[in-house]
Amino acid sequence: KRADDTAEFPREEMERRLHFSSLQKSKLVEVLVGLVSAERKPGFPARRAILRQIDDLLLPEALAERTADFARKAFNKPTPVKRLVQGLRSRDMKRFILEQTVLASLVDGSRSAREMEWTRELGAALGFTSAQLRTTELEMAAYYAKHRHLVDVFSLAHGAEVLGEEWVDEFSVTMKKNYRALVRE
């Protein structure tokens, strides 16, 4: 405190907390990219949308670049779950990561066998039992059912755009294949 009894702004403490928060955001992005890449490589439009979302996080420049580089590499070669959870020590953060991953897998309306297997692997790597994972899945499903209007605000607008772009991308690939076949004939 100063002599006039007013508190000083704890700048160093705030900067430390902001940095820690940014690291946590980056780790969550890594795990969610792992989930997205679990079943198949995301298409170009989905990749572009994910990279835009990383930009929207407003991470410090070096961390944003590192997170985007991680995502680009993981799109082509998924990162093992055990590597994704390295450095996570806090039980609260581990639970948060697991909850967000389960919630993200629910948002698209279906969970494939591979997504569920990947989520079980993540839960185990984070130190959760299968019963704890099941409880988390039920809690997140109930949360999503109750608050779907909140979660869909973040997913539908980008999802519709990405879905449209993916459709155009797939249509383009199909047209090129058909064109090549036609040229060969």
Side-chain angles (χ1 to χ4, degrees), residues 31-177:
V31 172
L32 293 178
V33 166
L35 174 67
V36 167
S37 303
E39 193 156 357
R40 62 184 165 93
K41 293 180 182 182
F44 176 76
R47 292 174 187 216
R48 191 171 64 210
I50 291 168
L51 292 172
R52 264 191 260 139
Q53 290 171 343
I54 292 170
D55 286 341
D56 291 345
L57 290 174
L58 301 176
L59 298 171
E61 189 174 338
L63 183 58
E65 287 177 24
R66 195 167 68 227
T67 304
D69 286 344
F70 171 88
R72 284 185 200 95
K73 290 175 186 168
F75 291 150
N76 295 315
K77 184 179 179 199
T79 306
V81 171
K82 288 191 185 229
R83 186 199 164 291
L84 289 173
V85 300
Q86 284 177 343
L88 290 175
R89 289 176 183 73
S90 159
R91 186 74 173 166
D92 290 336
M93 184 59 182
K94 289 177 181 182
R95 179 158 177 78
F96 177 75
I97 292 282
L98 184 61
E99 288 172 343
Q100 295 305 303
T101 301
V102 170
L103 188 59
S105 73
L106 293 170
V107 169
D108 69 358
S110 66
R111 295 179 75 200
S112 70
R114 179 63 189 127
E115 275 183 318
M116 290 188 297
E117 176 187 328
W118 193 89
T119 303
R120 280 191 297 275
E121 190 179 338
L122 175 68
L126 290 170
F128 292 94
T129 65
S130 54
Q132 290 169 320
L133 172 60
R134 187 71 188 134
T135 299
T136 300
E137 288 174 328
L138 291 172
E139 289 170 354
M140 290 299 97
Y143 176 86
Y144 181 63
K146 185 175 182 180
H147 301 289
R148 186 176 193 151
H149 62 285
L150 296 174
V151 178
D152 285 347
V153 167
F154 299 107
S155 63
L156 291 180
H158 289 296
E161 178 183 324
V162 168
L163 186 60
E165 290 175 357
E166 283 184 353
W167 183 83
V168 169
D169 194 39
E170 288 178 27
F171 183 74
S172 175
V173 168
T174 302
M175 289 297 292
K176 287 177 186 174
K177 285 180 185 176

